Amino acid sequence: MDRREELTEFLKSRRARVQPEDLGLKVFGGRRRVPGLRREELAQAAGVSADYYIRLEQGRADNVSQEILDAVAGVLSLSADEREHLARLAKPVRRTAKRRTPVERIRPGLQRLLDSMDDVPAFVLGRRMDVIGWNRLAAALIADFGNLEPKQRNIPRLVFLDPATRDFYPDWEAVAEETVGYLRMYAGRYPDDPELAELIGELSIHSPEFRQHWARHDVKDKTFGTKTQLHQVVGEITVRYETLQPPGEPDQLMVTYTVEPGSTSEENLRLLASWAASDEPADREPADREPVDREKSRFAAEDPELR
């Protein structure tokens, strides 16, 4: 991913959301060629020269101060996540040459913690939203990760390449938007990640919905929220998710799902826990396990090119 191009497109997309009238600027002339603020109008409102802002937007400004970034962010009404994303793009950290990262694994102590949470679906996300650890209840609720090949244990691939997720998530559009927002946030942190570029390319080729979301340049860190899932065995479950970063694991996130006490969702989750306990254990995949036929998997991608 080209940092300069990413910075340019991000700022252009944020300018398009703001009208000059919102800032009390007078609009002269006839028809405007671009939606939202012009670069000169943004520069005026932020208190910088038009030439400097143009160089900033094009990624050609050296030693950009935080004060200028704050002024631009204020004019554009950027969220906290968007401000962080802008700072990473405008003030890049010197990185080593591109190279593939080693296979990411969950440490044993963290997996034991997941396994001890009998009544709480929980899983650990690694780089690029790969699912690298999970407990029995998470496998019963979301997907039988043990029966998926490692490459397919990836939230963006499941959301955009598996038609079953559209039935599983009644508000699929919101889930898709959130997924892309976090993936874009990750891209700002690790622009030289070749596996990320490969993932984005694959999703862009096979999912027009992903292409539409990606073109919006929305960013949102994964924190907490609510989502509803329609399980094929027990029915609807609305969960509250919390995202925690394990100490010593900067690239990993642990996600837990809880339900409202006394709710139908709590009852359905208990039924699911009982069903999961009596069913075949959804444990982690042993290292010497033979590959599983993904056509039998609940979340197998239907595109033959992905098999």
Side-chain angles (χ1 to χ4, degrees):
M1 297 181 62
D2 185 272
R3 179 191 63 81
R4 290 186 174 183
E5 180 180 348
E6 184 75 9
L7 175 60
T8 298
E9 294 303 318
F10 175 68
L11 284 173
K12 285 173 61 177
S13 70
R14 300 309 93 168
R15 282 196 289 114
R17 303 187 308 183
V18 182
Q19 300 303 318
E21 296 86 353
D22 298 337
L23 305 176
L25 299 177
K26 292 183 179 181
V27 180
F28 299 98
R31 183 178 178 182
R32 300 170 69 87
R33 291 181 299 173
V34 295
L37 287 179
R38 293 171 175 165
R39 292 180 295 188
E40 295 79 4
E41 292 168 338
L42 194 158
Q44 177 185 346
V48 299
S49 70
D51 178 68
Y52 184 85
Y53 175 76
I54 291 172
R55 287 189 287 114
L56 168 61
E57 187 172 287
Q58 294 176 345
R60 297 187 294 110
D62 297 326
N63 301 319
V64 183
S65 70
Q66 190 60 48
E67 289 75 15
I68 290 178
L69 292 181
D70 288 341
V72 170
V75 173
L76 296 176
S77 298
L78 299 188
S79 68
D81 289 339
E82 290 172 330
R83 287 171 179 260
E84 181 181 341
H85 187 63
L86 172 61
R88 284 199 175 99
L89 296 177
K91 302 169 67 174
V93 176
R94 184 181 297 274
R95 299 182 182 278
T96 57
K98 299 179 182 180
R99 60 182 180 182
R100 289 190 172 269
T101 53
V103 176
E104 194 172 16
R105 302 187 185 279
I106 183 174
R107 65 173 183 260
L110 191 54
Q111 182 62 58
R112 287 194 295 271
L113 176 60
L114 295 181
D115 293 336
S116 70
M117 303 166 72
D118 295 331
D119 301 323
V120 176
F123 54 96
V124 171
L125 295 176
R127 295 182 291 267
R128 301 168 293 276
M129 301 184 77
D130 290 330
V131 180
I132 62 173
W134 60 90
N135 63 10
R136 182 195 299 268
L137 197 49
L141 176 61
I142 305 170
D144 189 355
F145 297 112
N147 275 338
L148 292 177
E149 294 181 4
K151 183 178 179 180
Q152 300 306 321
R153 298 174 197 155
N154 174 269
I155 298 301
R157 283 191 175 98
L158 294 179
V159 170
F160 288 99
L161 301 183
D162 183 357
T165 59
R166 297 173 187 270
D167 296 326
F168 183 64
Y169 294 112
D171 193 358
W172 181 89
E173 189 66 30
V175 174
E177 180 180 343
E178 175 189 277
T179 300
V180 174
Y182 178 70
L183 202 61
R184 175 74 73 175
M185 194 83 173
Y186 180 89
R189 292 170 180 161
Y190 304 99
D192 299 326
D193 184 339
E195 286 96 339
L196 175 64
E198 179 182 308
L199 173 61
I200 293 171
E202 177 186 330
L203 296 174
S204 297
I205 290 172
H206 298 289
S207 173
E209 294 90 348
F210 177 83
R211 291 197 299 270
Q212 293 170 4
H213 280 284
W214 190 254
R216 296 173 189 167
H217 288 265
D218 293 336
V219 294
K220 187 179 187 303
D221 208 355
K222 190 168 183 62
T223 53
F224 59 89
T226 302
K227 66 176 59 176
T228 298
Q229 300 160 322
L230 188 59
H231 194 272
Q232 60 183 355
V233 175
V234 301
E236 185 175 293
I237 299 178
T238 298
V239 300
R240 177 76 175 180
Y241 64 89
E242 298 285 344
T243 306
L244 310 170
Q245 184 173 21
E249 302 291 352
D251 291 338
Q252 297 183 12
L253 298 173
M254 184 170 74
V255 183
T256 62
Y257 287 170
T258 58
V259 292
E260 188 70 24
S263 65
T264 302
S265 294
E266 182 183 45
E267 180 181 349
N268 289 345
L269 188 61
R270 286 178 178 172
L271 289 174
L272 181 62
S274 299
W275 173 77
S278 61
D279 198 20
E280 185 72 19
D283 292 334
R284 300 169 300 287
E285 181 181 9
D288 58 350
R289 182 171 180 170
E290 291 296 322
V292 177
D293 182 359
R294 283 185 286 141
E295 290 186 350
K296 299 179 181 179
S297 169
R298 174 180 163 208
F299 281 108
E302 292 189 348
D303 193 326
E305 294 183 23
L306 301 179
R307 295 177 183 171

